[in-house]
């Protein structure tokens, strides 16, 4: 059978600018101020259910909801860990493409790891998502619907610990965010817009990751939105990085690091370097030294390194570094004066940690 053709998702309220929302409401035969009412429900009360929109005329609610809020994603599998404070959700999109998001609640903060593509085209061999290949980009609204669901779950006390607000968002789920640049930027602008026109998040609490799409990294620097940039480097030398991160054959280690430094120069935001530690592959002491030297060659105080113990993926020939090797790698980086923090691997037991998202579901 031929593969199902995938079209564009239906236009959704969250895809529109504030002015476009007004125009759409008027086009639907309603007064312009209905757009603000809908935005308040969606971005402040986190609902698109017409039954909850009691300030709208009964005759208008259902029609407006059907027009403005088509169902784009639906949860089909939910897995929990850490006493219910880590929740991985498998979403089916309108065309049955699949993505996952992971909501994590800590004592002092909440974080959502969100997907920006169904699958990923970067083909990094140690990453479960990279082995899927790319199905398609997500629309702005498909990304924001993942975020709204997290806001709603926290607001309604569905995560242990009582009602809360989403503090942090990381574009570290499925996909290469900067390969879906337009939707990512539109999403970020909506995330930081004050309520009720957006979700009122702080740009400083939003992290956009990339494997090193250099032109897009430089473009992001000029957007005027001080999000945190995270560069997934994984090796400081081109020979190995080209094996681990195939896009390196297009933009080298030095080009990627230069673009990261440029981001700091323009925004003043310290850049994170992500580095998955793989046993006997990239965890050698000399590679830590080389990384430290390359980062320091571009100045001090502009970067922070997050080594990540490799999370297991089905069929992988690679495993995490031994603890003493990990400690040595960290010590060497710190010896170069590089701030270094081992990344939390929360959610690994439900395949919800970095590199594990594969949108799998049980066979019926």
């Amino acid at each position: 059978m031929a593969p199902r053709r995938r079209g564009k998702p239906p236009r959704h309220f969250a895809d529109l600018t504030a002015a476009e929302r007004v125009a759409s409401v008027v086009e639907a035969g309603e007064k312009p101020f209905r757009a603000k009412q809908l935005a308040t429900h969606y971005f402040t009360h986190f609902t698109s259910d017409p039954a909850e929109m009691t300030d709208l005329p009964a005759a208008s609610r259902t029609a407006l909801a059907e027009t403005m809020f088509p169902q784009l994603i639906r949860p089909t599998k939910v897995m929990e860990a850490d006493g219910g404070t880590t929740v991985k959700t498998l979403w089916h999109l309108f065309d049955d493409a699949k993505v996952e998001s992971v909501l994590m609640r800590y004592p002092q903060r909440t974080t959502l790891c969100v997907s920006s593509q169904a699958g990923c085209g970067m083909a990094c061999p140690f990453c479960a998502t990279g082995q899927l290949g790319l199905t398609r980009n997500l629309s702005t609204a498909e990304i924001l619907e993942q975020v709204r669901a997290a806001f709603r779950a926290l607001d309604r006390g569905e995560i242990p610990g009582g009602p809360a607000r989403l503090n942090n968002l990381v574009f570290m789920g499925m996909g290469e965010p900067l390969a879906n640049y337009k939707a990512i930027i539109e999403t970020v602008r909506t995330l930081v817009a004050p309520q009720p026109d957006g979700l009122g998040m702080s740009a400083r609490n939003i992290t956009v990751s990339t494997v090193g799409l250099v032109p897009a990294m430089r473009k992001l620097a000029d957007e005027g939105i001080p999000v945190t940039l995270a560069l997934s480097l994984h090796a400081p030398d081109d020979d190995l990085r080209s094996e681990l991160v195939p896009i390196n054959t297009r933009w080298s280690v030095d080009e990627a690091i230069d673009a990261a430094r440029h981001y700091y120069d323009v925004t003043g935001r310290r850049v994170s370097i992500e580095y998955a530690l793989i046993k006997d592959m990239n965890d050698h002491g000399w590679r830590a030294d080389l990384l430290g030297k390359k980062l320091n060659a571009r100045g001090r105080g502009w970067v922070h390194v997050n080594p990540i113990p490799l999370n297991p993926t089905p069929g992988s020939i690679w495993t995490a570094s031994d603890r003493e090797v990990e400690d040595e790698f960290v010590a060497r980086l710190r010896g170069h004066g590089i701030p270094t923090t081992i990344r939390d691997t929360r959610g690994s037991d439900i395949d919800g940690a970095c590199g594990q998202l594969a949108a799998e579901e049980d066979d019926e």
Side-chain angles (χ1 to χ4, degrees):
M1 293 179 62
R4 179 174 176 175
R5 184 174 181 181
R6 301 190 185 277
K8 292 181 65 175
R11 190 179 71 160
H12 188 280
F13 189 80
D15 287 314
L16 308 178
T17 65
E20 289 170 338
R21 292 168 196 161
V22 171
S24 293
V25 165
V26 171
E27 186 179 331
E30 297 289 341
K31 299 292 186 181
F33 69 85
R34 298 290 182 212
K36 184 70 73 175
Q37 290 177 305
L38 292 175
T40 299
H41 285 293
Y42 189 80
F43 292 116
T44 302
H45 304 305
F46 317 119
T47 185
S48 59
D49 182 354
E52 298 181 23
M53 301 180 183
T54 55
D55 57 337
L56 273 70
S60 300
R61 290 180 213 160
T62 301
L64 278 173
E66 288 177 353
T67 301
M68 300 296 173
F69 302 111
Q71 184 178 33
L72 299 181
I73 68 175
R74 65 185 190 279
T76 54
K77 183 179 179 181
V78 177
M79 298 181 70
E80 297 181 353
D82 306 308
T85 59
T86 299
V87 181
K88 183 177 78 166
T89 304
L90 172 67
W91 304 97
H92 275 217
L93 309 183
F94 84 103
D95 57 355
D96 285 331
K98 296 179 289 187
V99 298
E100 290 177 319
S101 61
V102 183
L103 177 59
M104 295 158 282
R105 182 168 190 169
Y106 300 88
Q108 303 299 325
R109 70 185 191 281
T110 56
T111 298
L112 177 68
C113 181
V114 69
S115 292
S116 55
Q117 296 180 312
C120 183
M122 297 297 105
C124 299
F126 58 91
C127 175
T129 313
Q131 298 310 294
L132 295 175
L134 177 64
T135 298
R136 67 170 175 86
N137 286 333
L138 268 60
S139 68
T140 300
E142 286 174 320
I143 301 171
L144 284 167
E145 277 285 84
Q146 297 171 65
V147 183
R148 181 183 69 87
F151 266 98
R152 183 180 177 89
L154 288 165
D155 182 66
R156 304 207 170 187
E158 296 172 8
I159 308 300
R165 180 176 170 83
L166 184 67
N167 308 124
N168 301 282
L169 187 139
V170 294
F171 287 96
M172 292 182 175
M174 299 177 72
E176 160 56 48
L178 295 187
N180 188 14
Y181 190 91
K182 182 174 184 291
I184 291 296
I185 290 302
E186 290 176 351
T187 298
V188 169
R189 292 193 185 282
T190 303
L191 292 173
V192 302
Q195 292 176 310
D197 292 322
L199 287 162
M201 295 188 73
S202 167
R204 295 176 179 273
N205 292 341
I206 298 170
T207 298
V208 176
S209 69
T210 180
V211 294
L213 276 60
V214 167
M217 292 168 69
R218 292 182 174 273
K219 186 177 180 181
L220 182 65
D222 296 328
E223 292 286 352
I225 309 173
V227 298
T228 296
L229 176 68
L231 171 62
S232 296
L233 196 65
H234 307 310
D237 52 308
D238 284 320
D239 286 345
L240 179 58
R241 189 168 194 264
S242 293
E243 181 179 345
L244 296 178
V245 186
I247 200 70
N248 192 75
T249 60
R250 186 167 182 181
W251 294 292
S252 68
V253 169
D254 285 334
E255 288 175 303
I257 296 176
D258 283 342
R261 172 67 208 208
H262 173 76
Y263 188 85
Y264 170 81
D265 288 338
V266 172
T267 67
R269 297 288 293 149
R270 189 170 65 164
V271 174
S272 293
I273 300 291
E274 311 297 307
Y275 196 107
L277 285 170
I278 307 171
K279 184 176 182 178
D280 299 328
M281 177 64 71
N282 66 349
D283 59 356
H284 310 94
W286 70 265
R287 284 195 159 96
D289 289 334
L290 179 58
L291 177 58
K293 290 174 183 175
K294 286 200 170 190
L295 297 178
N296 281 337
R298 292 160 174 84
R300 301 271 183 159
W302 69 276
V303 70
H304 181 277
V305 176
N306 285 319
I308 309 165
L310 184 72
N311 293 301
T313 57
S316 175
I317 61 172
W318 294 325
T319 59
S321 303
D322 294 335
R323 183 58 184 269
E324 59 271 19
V325 175
E326 176 186 301
D327 291 344
E328 173 69 13
F329 196 92
V330 170
R332 290 212 186 195
L333 282 171
R334 289 175 177 167
H336 288 275
I338 305 293
T340 305
T341 307
I342 293 290
R343 169 73 75 78
D344 179 23
T345 56
R346 194 165 174 180
S348 60
D349 51 339
I350 55 171
D351 292 336
C354 292
Q356 291 187 314
L357 299 187
E360 294 180 340
E361 54 191 327
D362 298 331
D363 293 332
E364 297 294 334

